[in-house]
């Protein structure tokens, strides 16, 4: 039996790319919708988590906090990418 996993890194990576391409800060809802279109969540990732959202949505909101903590994005006044986030996309892309 294979263990299913949530693609945490890919989810945050897609969010950063979406923010890079945005002309202005986006709401968390806008980012969530855009990420969902890009990653095509697996059935496992789509299962409802105890928080009420799907596993992948919960992962996005939790791990986007990590991205904000390291300075790759900010959530103040909407979600937007920082210079450090742009450098991360360039460096690790």
């Amino acid at each position: 039996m294979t263990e299913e996993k949530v693609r945490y890194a890919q989810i945050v990576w897609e969010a950063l790319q979406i923010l890079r391409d945005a002309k202005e800060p986006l709401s968390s809802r806008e980012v969530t919708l855009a990420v969902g279109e890009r990653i095509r969540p697996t059935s496992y990732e789509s299962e409802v988590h105890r928080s009420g959202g799907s596993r992948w949505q919960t992962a996005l909101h939790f791990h986007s906090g990590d991205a904000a903590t390291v300075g790759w994005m900010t959530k103040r006044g909407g979600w937007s990418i920082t210079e450090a986030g742009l450098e991360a996309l360039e460096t690790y892309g």
Side-chain angles (χ1 to χ4, degrees), residues 1-89:
M1 178 176 175
T2 61
E3 180 182 332
E4 296 197 60
K5 297 182 181 183
V6 177
R7 298 168 288 166
Y8 301 112
Q10 183 179 357
I11 289 167
V12 172
W13 191 256
E14 293 298 336
L16 290 173
Q17 289 184 55
I18 289 161
L19 295 174
R20 177 197 59 204
D21 298 340
K23 306 251 187 280
E24 58 190 23
L26 300 174
S27 69
S28 63
R29 185 177 190 282
E30 291 172 308
V31 175
T32 301
L33 290 171
V35 169
E37 290 174 4
R38 287 190 181 199
I39 67 163
R40 295 186 178 177
T42 65
S43 58
Y44 178 77
E45 291 170 332
S46 295
E47 288 178 5
V48 176
H49 188 265
R50 68 177 175 259
S51 67
S54 67
R55 281 190 170 96
W56 78 267
Q57 290 169 331
T58 301
L60 170 61
H61 290 276
F62 184 81
H63 292 290
S64 64
D66 294 338
T69 297
V70 299
W72 290 355
M73 63 179 285
T74 182
K75 294 183 174 185
R76 296 176 190 216
W79 290 19
S80 58
I81 195 164
T82 63
E83 286 298 320
L86 293 171
E87 288 178 26
L89 287 176

